[in-house]
Amino acid sequence: MSKRFSEFGKPSSANLRKLHELLLKNDNRVCADCGAPDPKWASANIGVFLCTKCSSIHRSLGPEISKVMSVTLDPWDDDDIDSMVEVGGNSSANSIYEAFLPKGVSKPKPNASNEERTNFIRSKYELQEFLKPSLRIVSSKSSFKSCDSRKDLDIVFDSRSSRKEPSGDKIIGTLKVKVVKGTDLAVRDMLSSDPYVILTLGDQKVKTTVIKSNLNPVWNEELRISVPHRYRPLKLQVFDHDLFSADDIMGEAEIDLQPLLTAAMAFGDPQFLGDMQIGKWLKSSDNALIKDSIINVVDGKVKQEVSLKLQNVECGQIELELEWVPINE
């Protein structure tokens, strides 16, 4: 196995040893979901080893939920191995994802039907039905839609924070979003643009100040938005401010909040934790990430750095820093 890893992914020798030691643990010698022996697959971001049948179900969930890799054939890198080692293997992951397995619900056996296997795996990872109740977060993913200039901008709040509770849904915390900077933004005036950023979550909208005549603006501006229990992806839009005509769109992107919120709630109060990585939002063809987005505990706060390539536009990137502040009940 070491030879295969070195040949394809070329991770460090130290990480190879860590992964080999992890594979030798008794609980990792069977599938995390059905108990089938000698698993040949793994979910790198969840941190479990899987049989072929269960891995195909995981793959159908998409890489945002489960990044499926062959333990012998795929090109692993240090980040993938670090994620596996950090979780600790099947027992550690199952202690979270199966913490509250309801009575009458049992794990599928190695010879289970595809329907039984699919129902269990979706309930366990996608719907998170077996997590501790306080950790269950529902994220409604929506398709990415282009927005016309100035559409719905009449309800943008002038203040730098929004605390409106959407449709009576319970607020679970506040998301602080530091809009750091833009790079190589699109030209919408003669030679430049006057960009500003709008963030939207449900019926809440917040915006940055306008920076005049700058395609590489630095905002370093913090916006705040309330997050309900049933949240959607955070939508980001960049506009060019015009005095005498409608503001022009300069690109857009969506930020999936589930990796941040799930990691934060799973690890508890960050004030009792040292600085450490607790999660990751993986770059994929389905999102606007430029690179994997790491979730860390820094000085007792849960933070995430996000680098986005703007969509539906010829060029442009945006850098953000997110911080999660839960409501203490």
Side-chain angles (χ1 to χ4, degrees), residues 33-321:
D33 294 331
C34 75
D38 196 22
K40 299 295 186 184
W41 298 85
S43 173
N45 56 326
I46 294 175
V48 293
F49 293 95
L50 307 164
C51 69
T52 300
K53 292 180 179 180
C54 287
S55 70
S56 67
I57 307 299
H58 276 251
R59 190 176 290 106
S60 71
L61 301 179
E64 295 292 322
I65 295 176
S66 185
K67 182 182 180 182
V68 179
M69 303 180 67
S70 167
V71 297
T72 56
L73 299 177
D74 281 335
W76 288 69
D77 58 26
D78 280 336
D79 287 343
D80 293 326
I81 296 176
D82 286 342
S83 294
M84 294 291 297
V85 172
E86 183 178 353
V87 172
N90 292 352
S91 291
S92 297
N94 282 344
S95 68
I96 296 174
Y97 285 98
E98 297 178 5
F100 282 75
L101 203 63
K103 291 183 178 180
V105 175
S106 57
K107 298 182 64 168
K109 303 295 183 184
N111 61 350
S113 67
N114 186 67
E115 181 180 4
E116 181 182 359
R117 201 182 300 268
T118 299
N119 290 339
F120 179 82
I121 290 173
R122 288 195 65 231
S123 295
K124 180 177 177 180
Y125 300 107
E126 183 179 26
L127 304 178
Q128 302 175 1
E129 292 180 351
F130 311 143
L131 283 175
K132 183 179 179 182
S134 62
L135 302 185
R136 295 173 190 166
I137 300 297
V138 178
S139 175
S140 302
K141 295 186 178 180
S142 60
S143 58
F144 196 86
K145 298 180 180 179
S146 179
C147 177
D148 295 333
S149 300
R150 300 291 293 184
K151 183 178 181 181
D152 295 332
L153 296 191
D154 55 322
I155 60 173
V156 173
F157 299 119
D158 290 331
S159 66
R160 290 294 174 261
S161 66
S162 170
R163 296 183 176 276
K164 185 175 181 181
E165 184 171 330
S167 304
D169 199 359
K170 180 181 179 182
I171 296 298
I172 59 174
T174 299
L175 183 69
K176 296 182 180 180
V177 183
K178 184 178 182 181
V179 182
V180 180
K181 65 179 182 178
T183 304
D184 191 28
L185 299 184
V187 175
R188 288 294 179 266
D189 298 326
M190 289 296 293
L191 298 174
S192 188
S193 296
D194 303 325
Y196 64 94
V197 174
I198 289 180
L199 300 177
T200 304
L201 186 65
D203 57 3
Q204 303 172 84
K205 294 196 178 193
V206 291
K207 62 179 289 188
T208 66
T209 54
V210 175
I211 296 184
K212 294 185 176 297
S213 302
N214 200 326
L215 300 180
N216 297 285
V218 176
W219 283 281
N220 281 323
E221 189 170 341
E222 183 180 284
L223 307 177
R224 300 189 181 196
I225 199 161
S226 300
V227 179
H229 178 69
R230 296 184 180 275
Y231 59 86
R232 302 181 70 85
L234 178 68
K235 186 172 184 177
L236 177 146
Q237 297 168 290
V238 183
F239 285 90
D240 169 51
H241 177 67
D242 288 316
L243 289 176
F244 304 109
S245 62
D247 292 357
D248 299 315
I249 187 75
M250 297 174 62
E252 49 195 352
E254 285 190 346
I255 300 106
D256 185 4
L257 301 181
Q258 184 171 7
L260 173 65
L261 271 62
T262 301
M265 294 184 179
F267 278 82
D269 192 340
Q271 295 183 4
F272 296 103
L273 301 174
D275 290 358
M276 60 185 294
Q277 178 181 330
I278 61 172
K280 183 188 298 185
W281 179 25
L282 296 172
K283 174 187 175 183
S284 77
S285 59
D286 297 325
N287 59 45
L289 285 177
I290 295 173
K291 58 183 178 180
D292 290 350
S293 177
I294 307 302
I295 303 165
N296 292 309
V297 173
V298 180
D299 296 330
K301 300 176 181 179
V302 177
K303 296 188 175 185
Q304 179 179 6
E305 295 183 355
V306 181
S307 298
L308 299 168
K309 181 179 180 180
L310 293 173
Q311 307 294 295
N312 302 320
V313 70
E314 58 268 28
C315 59
Q317 301 177 9
I318 293 288
E319 292 187 17
L320 309 171
E321 293 178 3

